[in-house]
Amino acid sequence: MSSDDDWFERAFSDDADEGEDSTESDESTEPDHPADVAATDSPFDPPDGEGDQDARSPFGEDFSEAFNSAPVPDGVFEDDGSAAGPGMAPNGQAEADAFGGQEDVGFSSAEFNEAEFDSDLDRLDIGIEGLDNMILGGVPSRSLIAAIGSAGTGKTTVGMQFLHTGLQQGDRGVYITLEESRDRVLSTAAEKGWDFRGYEADGSLAVVDLDPVEMANSLASIRNDLTRLIEEFDAERLVLDSVSLLEMMYDHPARRRSEVFQFTRALKQAGVTTLVTSEASDADPFASRHGIIEYLADAVFILQYVRSNSFQETRLAIEIQKIRDANHSRQPKPYEITNDGISVHQQANLF
């Protein structure tokens, strides 16, 4: 693979380039509005010429043939984005997992405290106090985890805390951001007391900042190389913040579903435990903006604002929507975002 194609190593090969040039790049490439993005050339349109395609792609690849007919599991989605097929309720809510999993099992407080779950699966902690106690035995390794919430609910903090926990345990990690610059990610982590710069210096952490438009135009190349690159880096944990910006690059629902499905499948094939953040739907705080990632994920955490009946107090609450192959509490619990990260109050109740 040429140096132009090595997007992974390019993102953290030279610390000296991270300053002013990175900031200017972020400002110049950030779309003002989703409509502006839609107006740009589609990465799936046939190129006018070889030179035009190379100029449009930052990786120097021809992406005109990128998965124009990528498969989507039959019966899982209708064109309107709702669920359909066996195991689906009439309103589109999955009664069982759309990709072959089993129904989650709920518990009362007494049952949950005394329940035992035996499994030979390797498991890991998320690294959030209280939340790990709500999961019996931990999340299975190599799972795809989705943290869904509206603005300000701490999705990015969840991702960083998940990654920092692994780094403390000696794991190697990758942080891919579509929203912030690499330097901003490192500075935000430092404010929480997480030494991402130190982990990056000793080679156990890679922080990659990608412009979402560039990523959409080059997604086929990134996806094809992702498994090999993660294996070479020997990463155990990966964070993508956020998948919503990637979804926004595609106007057609079928294309959006196909690309997100192929991308998440590549992450699973890479054998890395991945946490992706996603914006919640404006109409339903328990669903993602496009209603895709929660069906693809093995575990889903919902972060939301909860107001009391008197509307005199607003609190943050987290709920485990599902975890494949793990028993867990279904009761929403309050949490707070502090200078040290997120802490879930497992013993407290909402109002």
Side-chain angles (χ1 to χ4, degrees):
M1 186 176 67
S2 68
S3 60
D4 289 338
D5 292 335
D6 198 354
W7 62 274
F8 186 91
E9 295 182 3
R10 180 190 65 183
F12 60 97
S13 62
D14 189 357
D15 290 345
D17 294 334
E18 70 181 69
E20 182 175 342
D21 291 341
S22 174
T23 302
E24 292 176 359
S25 175
D26 291 339
E27 293 176 353
S28 61
T29 58
E30 182 179 359
D32 294 331
H33 190 276
D36 298 332
V37 175
T40 62
D41 291 339
S42 168
F44 307 104
D45 291 336
D48 296 332
E50 191 68 22
D52 292 339
Q53 179 67 24
D54 288 343
R56 188 164 63 245
S57 168
F59 304 102
E61 291 283 334
D62 182 0
F63 300 111
S64 61
E65 300 178 358
F67 292 89
N68 285 321
S69 58
V72 176
D74 293 335
V76 175
F77 295 100
E78 298 292 355
D79 285 341
D80 61 359
S82 62
M88 295 296 180
N91 64 357
Q93 174 66 37
E95 295 175 343
D97 181 79
F99 289 88
Q102 298 179 347
E103 286 190 62
D104 294 321
V105 180
F107 293 88
S108 67
S109 298
E111 291 172 331
F112 173 72
N113 291 333
E114 298 176 0
E116 294 183 357
F117 188 77
D118 296 327
S119 174
D120 294 331
L121 295 174
D122 292 333
R123 296 177 180 273
L124 53 80
D125 289 336
I126 300 298
I128 296 177
E129 182 182 358
L131 178 60
D132 286 320
N133 295 332
M134 296 169 65
I135 307 168
L136 290 180
V139 176
S141 299
R142 297 174 293 281
S143 294
L144 175 65
I145 306 164
I148 301 174
S150 57
T153 53
K155 300 183 298 297
T156 296
T157 303
V158 169
M160 288 186 173
Q161 197 162 344
F162 164 78
L163 195 58
H164 180 251
T165 298
L167 294 169
Q168 284 185 309
Q169 296 172 351
D171 294 344
R172 297 162 68 87
V174 178
Y175 190 98
I176 302 176
T177 174
L178 305 183
E179 297 185 342
E180 303 288 353
S181 68
R182 172 174 165 273
D183 186 65
R184 179 64 181 271
V185 170
L186 297 174
S187 297
T188 300
E191 292 175 358
K192 298 291 185 183
W194 305 329
D195 187 18
F196 277 22
R197 295 185 189 275
Y199 288 117
E200 190 180 48
D202 66 23
S204 57
L205 171 64
V207 178
V208 182
D209 58 343
L210 291 175
D211 179 84
V213 178
E214 290 182 356
M215 185 172 181
N217 287 340
S218 307
L219 189 60
S221 175
I222 293 173
R223 181 173 55 226
N224 292 338
D225 293 335
L226 194 59
T227 299
R228 181 184 60 81
L229 292 170
I230 289 176
E231 288 177 349
E232 288 181 355
F233 191 72
D234 195 26
E236 286 91 359
R237 299 192 184 205
L238 182 144
V239 173
L240 173 64
D241 185 24
S242 76
V243 73
S244 298
L245 288 180
L246 177 62
E247 293 172 330
M248 289 171 60
M249 297 300 102
Y250 305 100
D251 291 329
H252 196 282
R255 173 59 64 190
R256 181 186 300 122
R257 293 193 296 267
S258 175
E259 291 298 334
V260 175
F261 170 71
Q262 294 285 0
F263 186 75
T264 56
R265 185 174 69 173
L267 293 175
K268 289 186 177 183
Q269 290 174 341
V272 63
T273 305
T274 302
L275 189 149
V276 301
T277 67
S278 175
E279 290 290 331
S281 166
D282 293 336
D284 183 0
F286 296 93
S288 66
R289 175 175 293 178
H290 295 286
I292 299 174
I293 193 63
E294 55 264 48
Y295 291 102
L296 301 177
D298 302 299
V300 178
F301 304 141
I302 303 296
L303 296 85
Q304 61 175 312
Y305 294 103
V306 178
R307 291 182 174 87
S308 64
N309 294 333
S310 63
F311 293 95
Q312 294 180 351
E313 184 179 3
T314 300
R315 302 183 70 177
L316 290 166
I318 188 168
E319 180 176 333
I320 303 175
Q321 191 175 81
K322 74 171 183 179
I323 302 180
R324 290 178 185 161
D325 300 316
N327 293 338
H328 59 87
S329 169
R330 290 189 177 275
Q331 186 174 9
K333 290 294 182 178
Y335 69 94
E336 59 181 339
I337 305 173
T338 69
N339 293 334
D340 300 321
I342 286 180
S343 178
V344 177
H345 305 297
Q346 186 200 358
Q347 302 303 321
N349 293 316
L350 292 172
F351 307 110

